[in-house]
Amino acid sequence: TLWNGSSAPVTVFVSPQPVEATDDAFWDQFWADTATSVQDVFALVPAAEIRAVREESPSNLATLCYKAVEKLVQGAESGCHTEKERQIVLNCCRLLTRILPYIFEDPDWRGFFWSTVPGAGRGGGDEDDENARPLAESLLLAVTDLLFCPDFTVQSHRRSTVDTAEDIHSIDSCEYIWEAGVGFAHSPQPNYIHDLNRTELLKLLLTCFSEAMYLPPSSDSSNTNPWVQFFCSTENRHALPLFTSLLNVVCAYDPVGYGIPYNHLLFSDYREPLVEEAAQVLIVTLDYDSSTSSSPTVDGTTTGTAMDDVDPPGPDNLFVNYLSRIHREEDFQFILKGVARLLSNPLVQTYLPNSAKKIQFHQELLVLFWKLCDFNKKFLFFVLKSSDVLDILVPILYFLNDARADQSRVGLMHIGVFILLLLSGERNFGVRLNKPYSVRVPMDIPVFTGTHADLLIIVFHKIITSGHQRLQPLFDCLLTIVVNVSPYLKSLSMVAANKLLHLLEAFSTTWFLFSAVQNHHLVFFLLEVFNNIIQYQFDGNSNLVYAVIRKRNVFHQLANLPTDSQSIQKGLQRKKKSPEPISRTNSQDGVSMEGSRPAAPAEPGTLKTSLVATPGIDKLTEKSQVSEDGTMRSLEPEASQLSPEGNPPTALSDGEPWSGDASHSRRDRRRLSSASSSGQWVPTPDWVMSWKSKLPLQTIMRLLQVLVPQVEKICIDKGLTDESEILKFLQHGTLVGLLPVPHPILIRKYQANSGTAMWFRTYMWGVIYLRNVDPPIWYDTDVKLFEIQRV
């Protein structure tokens, strides 16, 4: 047979002679009942052979697929009561997992599974309606039935012989959910054989869904994946128990187990591969562009024009629908605790090296957490309601800091930043950051004493000053997060205050400001941070005020930024001398935390997948103004107020960096800057003036005007060189009545858009492609959604 090391059937199979579908003896060799593993199937059925069959004996390939699906359907109908039947089902599963990618990579074959197989009736033509089901649907329905098959993938509830075995069609699969958690209280006895069988079936599902990898990224992210669409529709009678099983298996998993050191080296963990597969299947089923649909808002009304008293119709995708309808506090608690426990797992430091198991699926967990917050606003508010959100924040900051020098982990950097951007749009997030940071996760950052806000600023500073070049598009996002939380930060440490000023110093050098059309935005963001803290949190922030006073020359230089052509040219000359992206000097880095390792670049040769570009910050976010009572109202995009010549409105509020309309900024660029002969953008005096005049420096200049003479006087009077006296003076000082009227707080909230939906799709499939190496399901097939590159 095929599995005894001889590849006879495959070679026969390649022969141009079509083999009749009725020749059972021939086809049965493919799922002979010898025990094999999926790895064996991959070794025995080489890629070249599959492609050869596809080109030279297409009818044999078609028959093989049809027969394999038929075997799965029969297994699902009979309930797989014998060992032999189970073996056949698993072998068909493995064979289809092997072959499907080669069907998807060929555009001529892509529709094959969605066609009905002519003349391949089940015993004659009297069952036409049955035959009308496309092969893909029969396959998906059989797999879902098999995932709730007593004694194969779930514990049987009967205590008796085969005669009264449960009929697979009459069982209520909701009673067979795989794990306690959301909507299910009973935790079944662990059974590793069931776990292994579920894992193989889920691997096949994931392979079915992977057709998405063979289509190039399109700007139209709404084109749905037909496999996922059918699987998550009402046609799937197990949709609810399956959704619940996948979610609960992931969130209930505890890799450390009973805390016995090294126990993962003694016992193979059958749960982990199942949890990984479940997480991957779950995020793929939730690949849904929420920007194109009317999404339910907090109070359950839709943002579309919903009828007054009718419940909004949920999305057709039942998995998205169920996810958005979870609402019980204990369910939220279970999910949040589970995700936080798993995300923190790689940070768990033990005194014995390698004694605790480290999970590898943190990227899938981050995508899942993103989907939960994006599709279920009640969950988002639950997360922010208590300081539990910090159990998600700290691991994310750890991953961001750890991956900052590694080109192969750009995607991880993006998703971490996106999640923090989403959270930072809510006031509660800023408030939670004031909690003191006491957990000492070893991180390659300076030692500090302070709050979670300090940790966030110090890590962001580290990413900006010592990350690799490809992270520059994220700078806008990182600083937007700091702006969003800044009005709520009660007291920054001296280390964090110095980091913010070091960033301002780096971003306001003339060569940086003049070398790219959008670089000045970063200065606007930082000034907005300082203004927010000075206007709304002056009392506890003497460290920041002191740092601003010490670095006052940076603000004076900005106010006196030269705008004549000669100075602009001179500023740009400096860049040629120092190509270093940002000066690392005088950022007073000090000693890194004990036990930390420096962030390392990727090993040469590491595989990575390409990502589509992410939208600019003006597309990613929409501005909301916070009113006195703390409620937010969305602001109209400024574009509507433009005067005909395309000049930005002059009455921009104090903290308003630039108008969020891309076409307008392009017009501005054309009008204000001449393109050089090489087509390169060149800064002009008009262009510099256009934004220099809007720099929000009034508040800081007033602060310096009032405080600098007082501080200098103290220093002269007391002969002070010691900063603690000055800090004491600043702590007790007040600027009430001396500062300009406080500007309204502006929050830039993340808004769903099809650009990010497409980014998530390419990122998610890239992660799944790279993580499935044993067996390498998609390796060396002609994937179109991304490119596979080596670092």
Side-chain angles (χ1 to χ4, degrees), residues 406-476:
D406 182 343
Q407 295 252 351
S408 69
R409 293 197 280 168
V410 180
L412 171 62
M413 297 293 294
H414 276 78
I415 186 161
V417 172
F418 283 161
I419 289 174
L420 298 182
L421 179 65
L422 180 71
L423 295 173
S424 74
E426 306 298 332
R427 172 181 176 275
N428 263 353
F429 182 64
V431 174
R432 298 284 160 239
L433 290 179
N434 290 308
K435 188 175 176 179
Y437 176 67
S438 51
V439 243
R440 285 285 172 251
V441 174
M443 279 161 94
D444 166 29
I445 53 171
V447 179
F448 71 97
T449 306
T451 64
H452 284 75
D454 295 307
L455 176 68
L456 178 125
I457 287 167
I458 291 166
V459 169
F460 283 11
H461 172 271
K462 199 83 172 171
I463 293 168
I464 291 171
T465 57
S466 67
H468 57 79
Q469 289 286 198
R470 304 229 353 247
L471 296 178
Q472 233 167 337
L474 278 177
F475 290 3
D476 274 350

Side-chain angles (χ1 to χ4, degrees), residues 233-308:
S233 73
T234 47
E235 295 271 352
N236 176 358
R237 70 186 185 100
H238 303 293
L240 180 60
L242 201 48
F243 168 78
T244 316
S245 294
L246 296 173
L247 183 63
N248 291 354
V249 158
V250 173
C251 295
Y253 178 55
D254 182 1
V256 181
Y258 297 104
I260 307 160
Y262 298 106
N263 77 352
H264 67 108
L265 301 178
L266 306 178
F267 312 107
S268 169
D269 177 355
Y270 294 98
R271 205 17 85 107
E272 188 180 27
L274 174 65
V275 175
E276 286 203 2
E277 215 68 53
Q280 292 178 358
V281 168
L282 198 51
I283 59 178
V284 171
T285 56
L286 297 169
D287 175 19
Y288 178 81
D289 181 359
S290 57
S291 67
T292 55
S293 64
S294 63
S295 52
T297 49
V298 196
D299 54 358
T301 58
T302 47
T303 41
T305 51
M307 310 290 278
D308 292 338

Side-chain angles (χ1 to χ4, degrees), residues 83-101:
E83 196 45 51
K84 182 175 176 180
E85 283 176 288
R86 289 173 199 158
Q87 204 51 61
I88 288 175
V89 161
L90 290 172
N91 280 341
C92 288
C93 223
R94 293 160 185 159
L95 200 57
L96 286 166
T97 302
R98 180 62 172 140
I99 292 172
L100 274 165

